[in-house]
C-alpha cells in the first residue's frame, strides 16, 4: 500500500471479508475510495489489481 492508512484499511477490509462482516467491509471500501489517490490510481483499484481481483 502507498501509505499507513491505506494499509490499515486494506487489512481491516480483508479481515471483515474473512469474518463475513459485510457491513464493515463496505465501510472499509468507502473509506478507501474517499482516501486520496496515490500515483494517479485510486487506492482500492490498485489493491484489486495487486490481488488479481476484479469487479464484484
Amino acid at each position: 500500500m502507498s501509505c499507513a492508512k491505506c494499509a490499515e484499511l486494506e487489512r481491516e477490509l480483508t479481515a471483515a471479508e474473512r469474518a463475513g462482516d459485510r457491513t464493515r467491509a463496505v465501510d472499509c471500501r468507502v473509506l478507501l475510495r474517499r482516501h486520496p489517490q496515490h500515483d494517479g490510481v485510486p487506492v482500492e483499484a490498485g489493491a484489486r489489481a495487486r490481488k488479481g481481483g476484479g469487479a464484484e
Side-chain angles (χ1 to χ4, degrees), residues 26-49:
V26 168
D27 290 345
C28 290
R29 286 187 190 99
V30 168
L31 291 170
L32 279 166
R33 282 187 198 112
R34 289 182 179 173
H35 199 69
Q37 294 186 359
H38 300 280
D39 301 326
V41 177
V43 174
E44 188 175 354
R48 275 196 193 136

Side-chain angles (χ1 to χ4, degrees), residues 1 3 5 8 10-12 14-15 18-20 22-24 26-27 30 37 39 42-43 45-47:
M1 296 266 89
C3 72
K5 184 63 176 177
E8 177 186 342
E10 185 65 31
R11 283 191 300 272
E12 286 185 41
T14 300
R18 286 184 181 150
R22 297 175 121 194
T23 301
R24 183 63 188 148
V26 168
D27 290 345
V30 168
Q37 294 186 359
D39 301 326
V43 174

